[in-house]
Amino acid sequence: KRIAVVDRLVEEFLQANEKNMLSEAVRASVGLLTQDNNFWSRVAARYDSAQSQEEKARVAKMARDVQDICRKLAEKAGQSQEDANAGLQKIMAAAANEKGEWFLPLTDVELGRMREAVEEENGGSEELISLSLAWMKRATEAEEQEVAMVVGVIQKVLHTISAVTLTQDDFNLQEGASTAAQLLHQTLQAREERWDEILTTLCTQETVAGTQLLTESDDLLQKVLFTLPAGSNKQRVLVEYIQEIQDRIRKAYKMPSPAEGPITA
């Protein structure tokens, strides 16, 4: 059964190569190529069973082209990882003091430098975010206080990436946006430590209803889900960021969580 799957893939690549679509086909199946050792043996079998020199040439050309595409993908992945590592180090270094140390909470000046570094990285690539999550996981498992400090700094990196991403064209405020949308945007751009204070003030002064803020945050959440690649770490981080502000809204306005019942406030 497994061999039949690989044989179909070989045939798909042959047909895609004739249509100048091999690169797209290889990218779509790169997981199978890297996990299944049968692919090249099945290509060789297809070559040996070819009934004509023309067919042998067709198979050989496809094999060479697939190898070339895989090599370029590997080089690109390696470069992306190097870029992500350099970018994350740059962002974290921007928030350190003159001795290269971090103390939480970061000052507004340090956080401002971190934001500038994130903006220079165009809001953070998928590779950079994936690396951030990996570093945070590794630091979380460490018991040393100095290493544990890194967790808080990386969390702040992810918060900043989320805030910066939400100012980009796909998510930024549109002309004529409602008051609730504008206030939500302003809150999301503030440092996370001030969210409770800002939302409590909005509630106390009756500036905007909690239900309106939740509606706008739901709309923003849908944009994230439909705009960013499904299952990507960037989508995951943005979703968690917006869900966190939704929890804070419910807390400030004393609204029940979805599991507790309908919103009545």
Side-chain angles (χ1 to χ4, degrees):
K1 184 178 179 181
R2 187 71 176 177
I3 290 177
V5 172
V6 178
D7 284 345
R8 284 198 298 272
L9 184 63
V10 171
E11 183 59 35
E12 288 176 12
F13 283 0
L14 285 168
Q15 295 181 13
N17 208 24
E18 293 176 348
K19 300 176 183 177
N20 294 320
M21 297 175 62
L22 184 59
S23 180
E24 292 83 351
V26 171
R27 289 173 185 273
S29 304
V30 69
L32 180 59
L33 282 174
T34 56
Q35 296 171 19
D36 197 309
N37 296 324
N38 290 319
F39 177 77
W40 295 109
S41 65
R42 297 312 297 166
V43 170
R46 180 62 179 269
Y47 179 88
D48 292 339
S49 64
Q51 298 298 309
S52 65
Q53 290 301 315
E54 181 181 13
E55 179 65 11
K56 286 181 181 291
R58 177 171 172 254
V59 175
K61 181 179 185 305
M62 180 273 289
R64 289 194 301 271
D65 290 346
V66 169
Q67 288 178 330
D68 186 52
I69 293 169
C70 288
R71 177 182 57 77
K72 290 178 180 177
L73 288 175
E75 290 175 353
K76 183 176 180 181
Q79 185 61 50
S80 296
Q81 190 66 22
E82 290 179 12
D83 292 344
N85 187 62
L88 180 55
Q89 290 188 40
K90 170 186 169 184
I91 292 169
M92 294 181 68
N97 62 21
E98 63 276 4
K99 296 181 180 179
E101 301 170 329
W102 300 288
F103 292 97
L104 297 176
L106 298 176
T107 67
D108 288 342
V109 171
E110 291 166 345
L111 195 57
R113 293 201 302 264
M114 176 182 281
R115 182 172 182 121
E116 288 178 0
V118 170
E119 289 172 346
E120 290 174 2
E121 293 294 322
N122 196 31
S125 65
E126 175 67 12
E127 291 80 9
L128 191 151
I129 292 174
S130 298
L131 183 62
S132 299
L133 293 171
W135 280 17
M136 189 161 67
K137 182 177 184 297
R138 198 176 309 139
T140 301
E141 295 169 350
E143 296 182 358
E144 295 87 348
Q145 183 176 356
E146 294 79 3
V147 179
M149 174 73 73
V150 175
V151 175
V153 177
I154 295 179
Q155 285 178 330
K156 189 58 67 176
V157 170
L158 295 174
H159 284 168
T160 305
I161 286 174
S162 297
V164 170
T165 300
L166 292 176
T167 66
Q168 295 175 343
D169 291 343
D170 288 332
F171 308 108
N172 205 4
L173 283 175
Q174 302 298 311
E175 185 176 350
S178 67
T179 298
Q182 294 177 43
L183 291 171
L184 176 67
H185 176 80
Q186 292 169 14
T187 306
L188 286 168
Q189 294 306 308
R191 56 185 302 155
E192 179 265 340
E193 294 92 338
R194 293 197 58 227
W195 284 3
D196 289 340
E197 174 193 347
I198 294 171
L199 292 168
T200 299
T201 300
L202 292 177
C203 176
T204 303
Q205 297 181 355
E206 299 183 351
T207 307
V208 63
T211 49
Q212 291 176 301
L213 291 174
L214 281 180
T215 296
E216 292 296 341
S217 65
D218 278 335
D219 290 345
L220 186 56
L221 189 59
Q222 290 302 311
K223 284 184 181 179
V224 168
L225 291 172
F226 284 112
T227 303
L228 296 177
S232 66
N233 281 317
K234 189 158 193 173
Q235 184 191 68
R236 167 190 163 190
V237 167
L238 265 291
V239 166
E240 291 177 355
Y241 190 70
I242 296 170
Q243 288 176 336
E244 177 62 25
I245 196 71
Q246 290 181 325
D247 288 342
R248 303 293 188 91
I249 291 169
R250 294 187 182 97
K251 176 184 175 184
Y253 283 82
K254 296 180 172 57
M255 304 166 77
S257 67
E260 295 173 343
I263 293 173
T264 57

